Amino acid sequence: MSLAPDLCAAIEEAKHHHGGPRPAMLESLRMIQQRHGWVSDAHLEEAAALLGVTTAEMEDVATFYSLIFRRPVGEKVILLCDGASCWLNGGDAVRDAVMEKLGIGFGETTADGRYTLVNICCVGGCDHAPAAVIGRDRRLVGPLSPDDLDRLLGEDAR
Amino acid sequence: MTDRPLTGRARPDRTPHTLEEWRALGGYEAVERGLRELTPERVLDMVDEARLNGRGGAGFPAAKKWRFMPKPGEAPGDGPNYFIVNGDEMEPGAFKDRILLEATPHQLVEGAILAAYATHSTEIIVLIRDAYRDAIRNVSRAIEEAEAAGYLGRNVLGSGFDIRMWVHPSAGRYIVGEETALIEALEGKRAVPRKRPPFPAQSGLWGRPTTVNNVETVSCVSHIVANGSNWFQSLSRTQEGGTKVFAVSGRVNKPQVIEAPMGATAAELIEMAGGVSGNGVLRCFQPGGGASGFLEADALEVPLDFGHVRAAGSMFGTGTLIVLDQTACPVGVIARHMAFYARESCGWCTPCRDGLPWAARIMADIEAGSGHLSDLDILRMTVEVGGPRGRAFCDLMGGAMSPLGTGLARFGDLFEQHISDKCCPVARDHRRAAA
Ligand SMILES: Cc1cc2nc3c(=O)[nH]c(=O)nc-3n(C[C@H](O)[C@H](O)[C@H](O)COP(=O)(O)O)c2cc1C
Ligand code: SF4
């Protein structure tokens, strides 16, 4: 599936934003991911062509930044904090409970394609520890406890 | 409000003010005064006299950094000076910039305009971490409003000065917060730090003179211009000016952001954060986020500023405290920190790329009860190689070595007990006491 025309136009447009095609690479990757949830090889190549950079240059950037996903992810990506402040407030128990409930480990996606679980450094939510951010709009949730995971996974987590 | 200038106007739910609402609270008066009545040099002098130190970790005096920025025509070649606001906040335990970005974006825009004016910068970029989506949205909106009101754009307030400002949303990786790595990121490259010299003020973004300051540093500037250097200095209890947006987390009852005078003590801040949780007795704390060395109860009354915390043997860093009670194990905290720094290494230099994962593995083993006494020598060697006077290329590794080095020095017995008893002695004794 190739990139939608409006996305192509936005990528072309990004070339003219600040500093030419190079800085537009990350912006394009972000736009593709916002639309599709992740960045496939085909989309990456297409965007590189639109920007006039090589696929290798694009890949170089895409693989450095940890929140550009180069593999398919679930509908909701759960970025679970594994930092010290969360750990001090029971983060390990939350992690274990999430893994058990979803039946997946870090870096994995549930079979029904609904959730992907990723560990992340401090999410800047230490006042809500243990905390996570979830979904495409990176909504902060916490404090989490093993028996109240519905707050993480449920409706109000969007 | 005046004793908490930075956070006093923030709404409890962090909904930002519209420009009109902000103006009704005195917003943009400093910008009008600064650009209409003061020269860039005068603004810079005021910040100097206010003794504003950078709040991003190193505590470098803001004005001193700004003085390196060339005036128009002084730098060779064509192009603007850049002023960059660092909103990458990813240090473990740090969540102080978040409130300033989310709740008071106009305060940031005001400060950035004045800072740009003082550094002859006509382009302002705010880099914000990906996880802070509300911050990205709120700051972007504030910029639009400021543009519409004529505080940004061409010939701002008739000063003859043009300023553009935009937000760059980042895409992960802690190292992006290091200022030269940040510049690489903005240029569309992998965020690997640059060699210094040349310093960014000589050659920064696209080879142009560039200043990078932390969100909190920038948020102070309008207050200095509005109320004067003496006033700003008088907010502090020490020689370093202003209030500080502290944050307290870990084993406290009400982890939170607390704006207090520079020089407030850990005892006061922990008290304001509802006191020590767990068993209620402090074991130790990190005064400045994950990359700061551990301090113990004898440091509870140390005035917290860059100078005093350094003298006490740690680092003030981001001014965000991580608190451990007696039932929390520093070895476990260090293991989390090492895993974090190892994962976030940019991979450029060997001590960090190879040393940190090694240290992280050893820490995980020790914590799990499968460590060896000889491991401690390897950890000490890692501290030697990567520590503050060590051989890594940037401060990521040096920072990572602070909790490890001070942890080994202060809690050596706990490390050894993990190894001899093949388990975490703190967790075990705590379980026993509870049973
Ligand atoms: C690994 C690493 C990460 C950093 N992350 C941040 C950050 O997220 N935010 C920040 O303001 N400074 C960060 N810094 C410090 C910056 O390099 C720089 O000193 C700071 O942005 C300057 O602003 P200031 O003078 O206002 O403190 C980091 C430094 C290192 C070595
Ligand atoms: S110390 Fe680490 S983060 Fe810094 S340049 Fe070396 S490898 Fe990269």
Side-chain angles (χ1 to χ4, degrees):
Chain A
M1 194 180 60
S2 50
L3 292 170
D6 65 320
L7 208 47
C8 292
I11 291 170
E12 292 265 21
E13 160 74 22
K15 256 198 289 201
H16 307 291
H17 279 177
H18 311 287
R22 247 204 170 275
M25 291 194 294
L26 194 57
E27 205 180 329
S28 307
L29 292 164
R30 288 179 56 86
M31 288 191 287
I32 296 170
Q33 179 159 304
Q34 193 65 25
R35 177 77 54 92
H36 296 279
W38 67 295
V39 181
S40 67
D41 286 350
H43 286 164
L44 184 140
E45 279 173 35
E46 213 180 324
L50 286 167
L51 293 174
V53 299
T54 65
T55 311
E57 283 175 303
M58 197 82 172
E59 190 78 84
D60 188 45
V61 172
T63 51
F64 186 87
Y65 296 96
S66 50
L67 294 175
I68 298 296
F69 302 129
R70 293 289 281 111
R71 275 191 287 165
V73 292
E75 269 164 59
K76 287 179 190 165
V77 177
I78 301 168
L79 300 170
L80 190 64
C81 177
D82 62 2
S85 289
C86 283
W87 179 72
L88 283 166
N89 287 291
D92 278 4
V94 169
R95 176 201 62 201
D96 293 346
V98 173
M99 287 184 175
E100 193 185 313
K101 185 167 173 125
L102 297 180
I104 52 174
F106 285 134
E108 295 176 359
T109 300
T110 53
D112 63 2
R114 289 195 63 199
Y115 298 103
T116 297
L117 185 64
V118 177
N119 53 332
I120 189 176
C121 59
C122 191
V123 294
C126 316
D127 45 351
H128 300 278
V133 293
I134 176 166
R136 289 199 195 171
D137 56 354
R138 304 277 189 260
R139 190 177 138 91
L140 178 71
V141 288
L144 300 163
S145 80
D147 38 319
D148 128 70
L149 289 180
D150 292 340
R151 275 207 20 235
L152 174 63
L153 306 173
E155 264 314 289
D156 69 337
R158 272 190 288 187
Chain B
M1 182 212 117
T2 44
D3 57 339
R4 292 189 298 118
L6 269 64
T7 59
R9 284 178 287 184
R11 294 179 174 133
D13 69 354
R14 299 196 177 181
T15 321
H17 302 81
T18 63
L19 185 126
E20 279 318 311
E21 290 168 340
W22 191 246
R23 262 206 299 231
L25 298 174
Y28 289 94
E29 279 169 16
V31 171
E32 305 213 3
R33 167 150 193 262
L35 270 63
R36 288 207 169 107
E37 297 170 24
L38 306 176
T39 60
E41 290 69 31
R42 182 65 204 127
V43 173
L44 203 160
D45 285 342
M46 288 180 86
V47 170
D48 201 354
E49 288 154 16
R51 301 203 186 130
L52 171 63
N53 287 340
R55 311 293 202 233
F60 194 81
K64 199 168 166 188
K65 197 189 270 188
W66 295 2
R67 283 195 202 284
F68 293 122
M69 291 291 276
K71 295 195 180 65
E74 276 181 9
D78 291 331
N81 286 4
Y82 288 96
F83 185 82
I84 297 172
V85 183
N86 191 343
D88 198 47
E89 188 162 76
M90 256 188 248
E91 185 67 26
F95 51 105
K96 62 162 185 90
D97 293 339
R98 182 176 205 141
I99 182 172
L100 299 173
L101 290 161
E102 287 180 355
T104 53
H106 278 296
Q107 174 170 262
L108 185 75
V109 174
E110 285 184 89
I113 293 170
L114 288 161
Y117 185 61
T119 55
H120 317 286
S121 307
T122 52
E123 308 265 325
I124 305 169
I125 306 166
V126 189
L127 179 134
I128 304 177
R129 70 176 290 190
D130 173 89
Y132 286 5
R133 291 291 168 91
D134 288 347
I136 293 170
R137 197 187 53 232
N138 297 358
V139 174
S140 302
R141 194 174 297 154
I143 291 172
E144 279 169 29
E145 290 178 338
E147 259 165 14
Y151 294 117
L152 290 167
R154 296 213 158 270
N155 189 16
V156 175
L157 303 175
S159 62
F161 190 61
D162 301 339
I163 316 177
R164 286 207 301 169
M165 179 167 183
W166 72 90
V167 172
H168 174 98
S170 192
R173 297 306 288 271
Y174 168 67
I175 190 62
V176 172
E178 197 281 335
E179 62 180 19
T180 61
L182 188 156
I183 290 169
E184 290 283 299
L186 290 176
E187 290 186 2
K189 302 178 191 149
R190 296 165 78 90
V192 174
R194 292 180 179 177
K195 185 168 94 52
R196 279 174 293 195
F199 289 91
Q202 301 163 269
S203 176
L205 185 60
W206 292 300
R208 300 302 305 167
T210 302
T211 295
V212 181
N213 275 124
N214 171 257
V215 166
E216 185 186 347
T217 316
V218 178
S219 298
C220 291
V221 177
S222 65
H223 300 287
I224 295 171
V225 172
N227 302 309
S229 315
N230 289 336
W231 168 84
F232 190 77
Q233 174 61 48
S234 75
L235 294 170
S236 164
R237 292 191 202 151
T238 71
Q239 292 301 305
E240 300 176 21
T243 57
K244 175 77 189 75
V245 182
F246 294 94
V248 189
S249 73
R251 292 284 174 89
V252 289
N253 287 308
K254 292 182 197 140
Q256 60 185 286
V257 168
I258 300 170
E259 183 177 5
M262 189 66 95
T265 65
E268 292 170 290
L269 294 169
I270 291 170
E271 172 77 29
M272 284 189 261
V276 177
S277 61
N279 77 345
V281 185
L282 181 87
R283 181 192 292 279
C284 60
F285 63 100
Q286 291 182 275
S292 61
F294 287 99
L295 294 174
E296 295 175 78
D298 59 348
L300 276 170
E301 300 297 338
V302 170
L304 297 177
D305 71 5
F306 292 94
H308 285 92
V309 176
R310 195 179 311 120
S314 180
M315 195 184 79
F316 190 41
T318 49
T320 50
L321 283 68
I322 302 175
V323 176
L324 280 71
D325 72 312
Q326 290 285 352
T327 67
C329 181
V331 173
V333 167
I334 296 167
R336 297 296 154 317
H337 286 336
M338 288 310 113
F340 163 75
Y341 291 109
R343 188 170 71 213
E344 297 300 329
S345 165
C346 83
W348 176 254
C349 68
T350 313
C352 175
R353 180 189 59 234
D354 290 350
L356 283 181
W358 196 7
R361 260 194 321 273
I362 290 176
M363 286 304 306
D365 285 349
I366 291 176
E367 201 204 355
S370 54
H372 303 276
L373 273 179
S374 58
D375 288 340
L376 299 182
D377 295 329
I378 299 173
L379 291 177
R380 288 195 191 93
M381 183 191 74
T382 313
V383 173
E384 190 118 315
V385 172
R389 281 171 302 282
R391 288 182 278 280
F393 190 71
C394 87
D395 289 336
L396 183 143
M397 177 145 197
M401 293 300 100
S402 307
L404 182 60
T406 55
L408 285 163
R410 290 182 184 273
F411 310 112
D413 51 337
L414 277 180
F415 277 82
E416 285 170 18
Q417 279 178 50
H418 274 82
I419 294 166
S420 59
D421 302 359
K422 300 192 188 307
C423 68
C424 172
V426 178
R428 179 196 59 205
D429 295 349
H430 179 49
R431 266 198 308 274
R432 264 190 209 149

